[in-house]
């Protein structure tokens, strides 16, 4: 069961002017499940994307990167689950392009105006015939208010769909923001086994879309980890349909740019944190906050050492306050000149370690009280400077092994 996360209510998700969504059952891997989603964009939308840092990236990632260069005129997104189309070489690229050509023909647009996305099992041929056969049903289903259906349609090992909406004021106008994401395992930053799609009706110049997308990813999806593995297919797409009644955002440093980024970042963080809350086998949602670093980068370095440690994560699963494991992770994070005598460790409100050693006032029962909670904050003070950063993670349970052992069966 996910940690304090429930399925979205369809009526609570706002339609975004200029976006229609359709979902179908194409039988990509299994029958009887929603596994093919199309997002149709009105002409004139601005689109940005960021993708996995894994050099063994999937065919759709390669195609999307190419098509988002320059001033793209994207009219449709196509997402299939059940098959990642990764580790498939030139044949995988050809198959992805075939699906784009099929959707483009049905829409009367150019194939280069279609972005493909895949998630699922690696090293299996993409079943082009099933996807192409499912496209008419997906198009017939297309409607502005199908965000909840899309959140369900992009799931793999997720146990609940993930979708959030918000309203904001930008340039004196009301704007809408709605997004969906998927992911539960192979989750590590830059990015994770995740797909994220975030849309707004705000007016944003194409020249700033890639910067906006990168900054949204950096503040949200690049701050989560479940198991330390970086996937082949990770993609975050940000869409601005340019339908709202305000002057176009041409700089993120403008009043409108700052307001829009803050509102979109709020939704992006909810989507990213939902992935952690639904981590494979997760029972605890853990915030790791590192303060007092010289740079934010070294704070992240320490935070990820803690968040990736199997020993730390299994201790959280067992509610065992074996908190020396956290200090050990801080020590091997790779900061060469770290002074251990300046390190403090907190578990929520409990001051565990002071000046690099056990706090005389710390009691085991206080640590265990916190460890039994479903939401926990680990806070480390490095005593080196004023920088800070935060990462979100989860525990590591028996179910994680079971889920991944049985993934292909």
């Amino acid at each position: 069961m996910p940690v304090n996360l429930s399925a979205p209510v369809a009526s609570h998700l706002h339609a975004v002017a200029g976006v229609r969504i359709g979902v179908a059952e194409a039988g990509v891997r299994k029958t009887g499940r929603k596994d093919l989603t199309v997002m149709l964009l009105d002409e004139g939308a601005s689109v940005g994307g960021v993708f996995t840092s894994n050099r063994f990236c999937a065919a759709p990632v390669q195609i999307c990167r190419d098509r988002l260069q320059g001033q793209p005129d994207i009219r449709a997104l196509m997402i299939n689950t059940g098959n990642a189309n990764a580790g498939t070489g030139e044949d995988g690229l050809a198959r992805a392009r075939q699906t784009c050509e099929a959707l483009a023909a049905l829409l009367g647009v150019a194939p280069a105006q279609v972005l493909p996305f895949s998630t699922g099992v690696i090293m299996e041929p993409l079943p082009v015939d099933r996807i192409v056969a499912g496209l008419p049903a997906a198009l017939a289903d297309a409607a502005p208010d199908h965000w909840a259906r899309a959140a369900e349609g992009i799931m793999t090992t997720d146990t609940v769909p993930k979708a959030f909406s918000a309203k904001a004021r930008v340039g004196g106008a009301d704007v809408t923001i709605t997004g969906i994401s998927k992911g539960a395992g192979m989750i590590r930053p830059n990015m994770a086994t995740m797909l994220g799609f975030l849309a707004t009706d705000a007016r944003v110049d194409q020249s700033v879309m890639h910067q906006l997308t990168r900054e949204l990813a950096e503040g949200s999806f690049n701050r989560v980890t479940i198991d330390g593995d970086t996937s082949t297919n990770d993609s975050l797409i940000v869409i601005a349909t340019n339908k709202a009644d305000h002057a176009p955002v041409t700089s993120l440093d403008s009043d409108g740019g700052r307001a829009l980024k803050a509102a979109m970042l709020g939704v992006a963080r909810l989507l990213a944190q939902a992935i952690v809350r639904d981590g494979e086998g997760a029972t605890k949602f853990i915030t790791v906050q590192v303060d007092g670093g010289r740079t934010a980068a070294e704070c992240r370095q320490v935070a990820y050492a803690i968040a990736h440690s199997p020993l730390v994560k299994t201790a959280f699963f067992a509610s065992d306050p074996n908190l020396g494991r956290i200090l050990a992770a801080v020590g091997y994070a790779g900061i060469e000149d770290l002074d251990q005598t300046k390190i403090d460790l907190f578990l929520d409100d409990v001051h565990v370690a002071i000046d690099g050693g056990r706090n005389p006032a710390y009691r085991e029962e206080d640590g265990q009280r916190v460890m039994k909670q479903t939401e926990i904050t680990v806070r480390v003070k490095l005593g080196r400077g004023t920088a800070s950063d935060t990462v979100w993670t989860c525990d590591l349970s028996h179910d994680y092994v079971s889920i991944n052992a049985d993934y292909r069966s």
Side-chain angles (χ1 to χ4, degrees), residues 8-279:
V9 177
S11 61
H12 295 174
L13 301 175
H14 310 308
V16 176
V19 179
R20 293 181 298 125
I21 302 170
V23 182
E25 296 180 4
V28 174
R29 181 169 177 80
K30 297 180 180 180
T31 60
R33 62 166 295 173
K34 299 179 181 70
D35 58 5
L36 180 62
T37 301
V38 295
M39 289 189 177
L40 310 179
L41 311 183
D42 285 359
E43 190 174 3
S46 301
V47 180
V50 293
F51 303 93
T52 181
S53 61
N54 192 319
R55 297 302 300 169
F56 207 92
C57 57
V61 169
Q62 298 174 56
I63 292 171
C64 286
R65 280 178 173 157
D66 289 343
R67 292 182 177 178
L68 285 175
Q69 296 296 316
Q71 296 289 319
D73 179 20
I74 303 302
R75 296 297 306 277
L77 284 62
M78 174 176 47
I79 310 113
N80 76 267
T81 66
N83 184 300
N85 196 11
T88 49
E90 288 297 324
D91 179 67
L93 289 167
R95 288 171 183 258
R97 292 189 183 107
Q98 286 173 356
T99 62
C100 292
E101 290 164 3
L103 179 55
L106 291 171
L107 295 175
V109 301
Q113 293 178 289
V114 178
L115 298 180
F117 304 88
S118 297
T119 182
V121 178
I122 295 172
M123 289 187 67
E124 292 189 1
L126 187 72
V128 174
D129 54 343
R130 298 176 198 170
I131 292 173
V132 171
L135 286 174
L139 293 177
D141 185 62
D145 59 349
H146 279 181
W147 284 98
R149 285 174 57 77
E152 183 181 354
I154 65 173
M155 293 167 58
T156 50
T157 59
D158 309 61
T159 66
V160 293
K162 301 164 181 68
F164 296 93
S165 276
K167 295 279 191 179
R169 292 284 291 179
V170 175
D174 292 324
V175 303
T176 298
I177 301 157
T178 298
I180 60 174
S181 66
K182 63 79 50 180
M186 276 184 92
I187 300 296
R188 189 199 184 281
N190 304 316
M191 291 160 52
T193 298
M194 56 139 290
L195 298 178
F197 303 96
L198 193 59
T200 178
D201 58 355
R203 299 184 66 192
V204 184
D205 192 86
Q206 179 63 46
S207 64
V208 298
M209 283 303 297
H210 292 298
Q211 179 189 356
L212 174 62
T213 308
R214 285 195 305 271
E215 293 188 13
L216 291 176
E218 190 63 19
S220 58
F221 294 102
N222 282 353
R223 293 291 183 276
V224 299
T225 182
I226 288 174
D227 48 21
D229 271 10
T230 299
S231 171
T232 55
N233 291 63
D234 314 326
S235 304
L236 171 65
I237 298 297
V238 178
I239 301 161
T241 63
N242 296 310
K243 298 288 187 179
D245 187 20
H246 64 85
V249 172
T250 57
S251 169
L252 297 185
D253 292 328
S254 64
D255 289 344
R258 284 188 289 268
L260 179 62
K261 178 186 167 182
M264 296 190 79
L265 185 58
V267 176
R269 282 181 174 167
L270 289 173
L271 292 169
Q273 290 174 7
I275 289 173
V276 175
R277 293 181 183 279
D278 195 26

